Amino acid sequence: MEQLKTMTDEQLAIKYMEGNNQAFDILLSRNQNKLFAYILFVVHDEGLANDVFQETFVKIIVKLQNGLYEPSGLFAAWCMRIAHNVIMDTFRRKKARHIVEPNEDNDLGKLRHSQVWEGNREGRYVNEQVLRDVKTLMDKLPDPQREVVFMRFYQQMSFKEIADATQVSINTALGRMRYAVLNMRKMAKKNGIVLEIE
């Protein structure tokens, strides 16, 4: 077990495909929080997020057991792509027109980021206000732009990983980010919001 803990996600996936169930336990523990946070951000309903999360991991298990994972160094992005597809299927089944429906619960406040900021109380207050303003602006972005911003800044995914997860080209992912930043700047200027972290 100790040897498994030092392996990369890709190595663990291979071990699981070879029949080592402990390898999957480690994969699950490493990836579940990040994956659930992404799903919850997109669907904005904890019950639905739990259902999507469960379905996603069932699909991951089935794909691994059938040898359908190609080690590429991007296991987390591969999982995100599966989650993205499950979300899309879920919304198709519900005949939804958008990935995310804007509402007052459409809040990134469920993400834990308060530990990131250090410094004096005043600086922390300013930083928290900036993050609240950013969340407010993100809520107003078109769905594809919000998804890319979330993956890039809250999941620390590369644009290649984002492109893979959302099944678009890297240029499309970069374009969505560019437009998201431009839109957020316009909204900030229009509303007199200063987006500067100390």
Side-chain angles (χ1 to χ4, degrees), residues 29-48:
S29 68
R30 284 185 188 174
N31 291 283
Q32 64 185 358
N33 291 339
K34 185 176 182 178
L35 196 58
F36 185 79
Y38 164 68
I39 293 167
L40 183 60
F41 174 75
V42 176
V43 303
H44 297 290
D45 177 283
E46 194 165 349
L48 181 57

Side-chain angles (χ1 to χ4, degrees), residues 106-150:
N106 204 355
D107 181 11
L108 290 179
K110 296 172 183 141
L111 298 173
R112 291 177 176 83
H113 61 273
S114 57
Q115 296 87 6
V116 173
W117 307 111
E118 295 178 354
N120 63 35
R121 183 176 293 190
E122 195 174 292
R124 204 170 324 138
Y125 173 78
V126 169
N127 292 337
E128 287 171 2
Q129 182 60 50
V130 168
L131 287 174
R132 280 193 295 276
D133 291 341
V134 167
K135 291 175 199 171
T136 300
L137 296 176
M138 280 181 67
D139 286 344
K140 296 176 183 177
L141 289 174
D143 304 333
Q145 292 175 22
R146 290 182 59 208
E147 187 175 32
V148 170
V149 170
F150 177 78

Side-chain angles (χ1 to χ4, degrees), residues 43-44 51 58 88 104 110-111 169:
V43 303
H44 297 290
D51 292 343
V58 167
M88 297 303 288
E104 59 254 320
K110 296 172 183 141
L111 298 173
S169 69

